[in-house]
Amino acid sequence: MTDAAPVSPVDRAGLRQRVDKALTEFLAGQRVRLAAVDDALGPVAEAIEAFVLGGGKRLRPAFAYWGFRGAGGVDGDQVLTALAALEFVQASALIHDDLMDRSDTRRGEPAVHRRFATRHREAGWGGDPDGFGDAAAILLGDLCLVWSDELLHSSGLDLLSLARARPVFDEMRTEVTVGQYLDVLTQVTGDTSVERASKVARYKSAKYTVERPMLLGAALADAPEDVRTAYSAYGLPLGEAFQLRDDVLGVFGDPGLTGKPAGDDLREGKRTYLVAAAVETTDDAGRELLLSRLGDPELDEQGVARLREVIAGSGALARTEQRIVTLTDTALAALTAVDLDTEARQALVDLAIAATRRAD
């Protein structure tokens, strides 16, 4: 692995600003649309605007854009608008994920279900505030998924390009949804195998973070089969490495950077590769402690620190870090097997490093 370039590949070609512009314009139109239905929908528009525009790394549009450019695609605002639709898929997944995990925060702000529960309490409405917040989060997540489709198809791209993109976009949304279900199922069945953790990571995050965005860009550029094959060989291992970094940050990350409480993944009972590796290699006492406290919502800072010691002491943290390096190197090697635009190739190298070395 080499050092990332000083300028982030997400910022090259004005990528981040152009994606944000497309999202802002689309959301402004949706705000007007909702207001025409009922004034009570103003908070819905505000919440989605805050969630989509208030943060996010824009990695998925970046992978898709540089995949498009790497395959010889010609830059244009219509392409950026189409790829911005990926941010609504991401928003939908995160809103629903926070609800299922009962997370209090996202990017340092209240999670959507908490936001609407608070609104209920402050207004003094009848019924259960938390039930209202849960229902609102389900519906706002669904709305984001609907809008992802709408933004893609209203991007201004020609019908042939959209027809090529459609199967990839559909497959991606199916994969992330069934991956979320497998994650929930794994938590309740208590499956702590490395194999199950890897499959959940692959479908819940890895494929829709890197591989499918890359293939979406390839489809829009009408890329040949060898390019699509190379993109999958790059995207699958890199997506898994990205998720492994996320798993490490979920246990060992700095809350000031991640925007989530320290050890949140432990309280939520996530059966990640990191946890599965620790269960597999720690001693009996460590295994008993880890399994008895994993998923305990009352786990305090001292408890988090103790579980961190078990995980690190078992060698699972070092094993996970080494796997991140190995997977990233495998991904980068795939880029050498195909002829790509030089600037795009370098951007994909830099994206790989940025995605797997991040601290937030």
Side-chain angles (χ1 to χ4, degrees), residues 28-70:
Q30 299 300 77
R31 175 185 277 269
V32 172
R33 184 180 184 182
L34 295 184
V37 175
D38 198 294
D39 290 343
L41 294 175
V44 171
E46 291 170 6
I48 294 179
E49 286 173 2
F51 197 93
V52 173
L53 301 177
K57 303 174 184 66
R58 308 299 187 234
L59 281 174
R60 290 161 187 83
F63 279 117
Y65 174 78
W66 290 113
F68 171 78
R69 289 281 306 277

Side-chain angles (χ1 to χ4, degrees), residues 14 23 73 110 152 179 191 230 253 257 259 270 289 291 303 312:
L23 293 170
L152 174 65
D191 190 336
L257 296 176
K270 296 270 183 85
L289 177 63
L291 293 178

Side-chain angles (χ1 to χ4, degrees), residues 4-21 23 55-67 69 75 80 83-84 86-87 209-210 213 234 238 242 343-356 358 360:
V7 178
S8 167
V10 179
D11 292 312
R12 281 185 214 157
L15 182 59
R16 189 192 305 272
Q17 293 80 3
R18 294 165 70 192
V19 167
D20 285 351
K21 180 175 181 290
L23 293 170
K57 303 174 184 66
R58 308 299 187 234
L59 281 174
R60 290 161 187 83
F63 279 117
Y65 174 78
W66 290 113
R69 289 281 306 277
D75 192 3
L80 263 296
L83 300 183
L86 291 165
E87 288 298 302
T209 296
V210 186
Y234 166 87
L238 184 60
F242 173 90
E343 181 185 8
R345 185 195 304 276
Q346 186 58 53
L348 291 171
V349 170
D350 295 338
L351 271 173
I353 296 167
T356 56
R358 73 191 196 283
D360 60 357

Side-chain angles (χ1 to χ4, degrees), residues 263-315:
D264 228 24
D265 280 7
L266 299 174
R267 294 186 190 88
E268 293 165 6
K270 296 270 183 85
R271 261 63 179 181
T272 62
Y273 178 93
L274 178 68
V275 168
V279 170
E280 184 177 86
T281 57
T282 192
D283 58 24
D284 290 342
R287 187 175 299 107
E288 181 179 355
L289 177 63
L290 185 57
L291 293 178
S292 66
R293 299 306 306 275
L294 189 66
D296 180 359
E298 302 303 320
L299 190 65
D300 58 17
E301 290 185 12
Q302 185 176 0
V304 169
R306 184 69 189 95
L307 293 188
R308 282 173 170 170
E309 290 175 5
V310 171
I311 292 170
S314 71

Side-chain angles (χ1 to χ4, degrees), residues 38 154 202 212 222 256 263 281 329 335:
D38 198 294
S154 63
R202 186 178 313 121
R212 292 302 175 189
D222 198 15
T281 57
D329 287 345
L335 295 179

